[in-house]
Structure formats: C-alpha cells, structure tokens
Amino acid sequence: PTCEEDGRGALVVVEGLDRAGKSSQCEILARRLQEMGHQVRYVRFPDRSTPIGKLIDNYLRGQSQLDDHSIHLLFSANRWEAARSIQEDIANGVSVIVDRYSYSGAVYSAAKGNSNLSLQWAWQPEVGLPRPDLCLFLSISTEEAARRGGFGVERYENDTMQKRVRELFLSLIELPHNDEICVIDAGKSVGEVAGDILEPVLECMKNVDAIGPLRKLG
Ligand code: TMP
Ligand code: MG
C-alpha cells in the first residue's frame, strides 16, 4: 500500500561536499521509504550513462579538456535531459531522491580558481528545472572529510577546491529564497545521520500536496 495514491511525489535533493556520505545516505533513505510503502526512485547527477554524461565522465577522469563554460553547460544539460522523467514520476506519485543537483552545478563551477564564472552566471542554466521540495545539505568540515579517506583521482578532488566549494555552498544556503534547505550535521555516525534525514523527508512528503504542483527553480 502506498500513501500517495492520489497525491504527487516529493522531489528531495541531497547535496554536500565529496565524502559527506551523500550516496550512502540516499541509498538508505530510498530503501527505508520503500519499506514504508512509498514509491521511490533514486537519481544521481552527473548521470554518466547518457551521451552527455559520458562527455562529463571523460572530463572528470582527465581524459578530455573542456572550456569551463562548456563543461558547466554539459552538467546542466545532463539535468535537463532528465527533467521530464522526473516530472512524470512526481506527477505519478513517485518520490524522487536526487544525489547532487543544481547547487553542486553552480558551486563547483564557481569554485574553480582559474575560471571567472560567477555564482550568478553559473545558476542561470538551472532556472526552470524542477525545484526541489526539500534540499538536505550534508554539512561536514573539510578536516572531517579528509579524515574519511584520501582524495580520489578525479578532477575537483583536492583541498583548495573543496574549501572553496564549502564556502560557496554555505553562501548559497543562506540566500533567503532557498527556504527549503535543511542543514544536516553529516559528521555524526551513518545511523544517526540517516535518522536525522528521515524526519524532514517524511514531513516534506506529508506536505507536498499543500505546496501544490512541482515548482520550477527561479
Ligand atoms: P560525483 O562524485 O557525485 O559523481 O560527482 C562528480 C563531480 O562532479 C564532483 O566533484 C562534483 C562535480 N559536479 C559538478 O561540477 N557539477 C555538477 O552539476 C554536478 C552534478 C557535479
Ligand atoms: Mg565524487
């Protein structure tokens, strides 16, 4: 039995620095909601399986060089190509859990030291995409992130970049129009964080019909 037979699903985004535990938490969350009888789909960006996603994957693995604007727009295009199916699922009562979204998109590009992409410029291609009903920001200090294991080999996985990304994330979540952002202390244990996440998500799923139809990012 599902609880949302006549209502729409919720769009829940999980954001944060590398090693904040986003992917593990998204998996736990999706499983728990399914066990409770909700219909759930788990999506992650970048979605490396599409033709655009393959260009992004090559870039991240250092197999190709791309202009900063160009790769930025590919990340955004990768969300736009998924937008319709997300909208359809939500309309059909399926809640969609998204691992990284527009906030990562804007913040990582603007954090690049050698580029002159402003946060404001970087946000523009996101305007009009499905707007999350809830965004969970998994907050972790750069020191704790570093304690969790060495950096990977992909582009952006270095100290300087992660510090700038953290600062920009924090400046974004303080903007007044982003009232649907919920900051989660991701420095706690996996189990504790999972509990802290579940509560606001269930609350959000209960309230989506009061919000009305899925909104668009502005
Ligand atoms: P992943 O580790 O979650 O697969 O993400 C790969 C990298 O891509 C990560 O460093 C964050 C970065 N990224 C962007 O630069 N722009 C985006 O729009 C997204 C979704 C991720
Ligand atoms: Mg990564």
Side-chain angles (χ1 to χ4, degrees):
T2 63
C3 311
E4 49 268 324
E5 264 153 31
D6 338 278
R8 70 165 171 95
L11 181 57
V12 176
V13 164
V14 179
E15 284 281 8
L17 290 183
D18 291 281
R19 279 162 311 165
K22 288 182 300 303
S23 306
S24 319
Q25 290 297 339
C26 284
E27 279 161 28
I28 295 170
L29 177 63
R31 198 175 58 235
R32 286 208 181 157
L33 293 174
Q34 272 156 359
E35 284 164 4
M36 295 170 80
H38 296 284
Q39 291 178 268
V40 181
R41 182 159 70 107
Y42 170 38
V43 175
R44 63 178 301 173
F45 294 112
D47 172 359
R48 304 188 193 217
S49 70
T50 70
I52 292 169
K54 291 198 169 81
L55 294 173
I56 295 172
D57 181 58
N58 278 335
Y59 175 79
L60 287 172
R61 290 188 298 106
Q63 307 290 302
S64 65
Q65 307 301 323
L66 287 171
D67 171 75
D68 291 329
H69 305 77
S70 222
I71 180 62
H72 178 75
L73 294 171
L74 287 176
F75 273 114
S76 186
N78 189 230
R79 281 182 283 281
W80 277 105
E81 64 182 344
R84 187 191 295 273
S85 88
I86 291 176
Q87 269 161 340
E88 283 171 0
D89 276 352
I90 299 277
N92 291 325
V94 180
S95 286
V96 182
I97 311 292
V98 185
D99 191 342
R100 286 196 195 276
Y101 199 57
S102 305
Y103 310 97
S104 280
V107 161
Y108 277 81
S109 289
K112 288 176 162 183
N114 52 350
S115 80
N116 294 308
L117 308 192
S118 70
L119 206 49
Q120 199 199 15
W121 184 89
W123 185 260
Q124 291 313 303
E126 306 303 310
V127 172
L129 279 172
R131 173 171 166 175
D133 295 302
L134 175 68
C135 173
L136 299 156
F137 176 68
L138 302 198
S139 178
I140 189 173
S141 66
T142 34
E143 292 78 20
E144 175 59 23
R147 242 176 271 137
R148 292 187 175 182
F151 284 115
V153 294
E154 288 200 336
R155 226 183 266 263
Y156 306 156
E157 294 182 330
N158 63 75
D159 258 323
T160 330
M161 184 70 186
Q162 298 289 319
K163 284 213 175 75
R164 285 207 201 97
V165 164
R166 181 177 163 75
E167 278 161 27
L168 287 170
F169 260 135
L170 294 177
S171 73
L172 253 196
I173 64 185
E174 276 159 15
L175 291 181
H177 72 270
N178 287 316
D179 52 351
E180 72 279 7
I181 291 188
C182 175
V183 180
I184 300 284
D185 177 0
K188 299 187 192 171
S189 73
V190 176
E192 281 176 301
V193 176
D196 291 350
I197 284 178
L198 189 60
E199 206 181 316
V201 170
L202 290 175
E203 189 62 25
C204 167
M205 289 171 72
K206 239 190 286 164
N207 294 335
V208 278
D209 286 312
I211 295 175
L214 191 60
R215 298 162 296 179
K216 291 179 190 312
L217 280 177

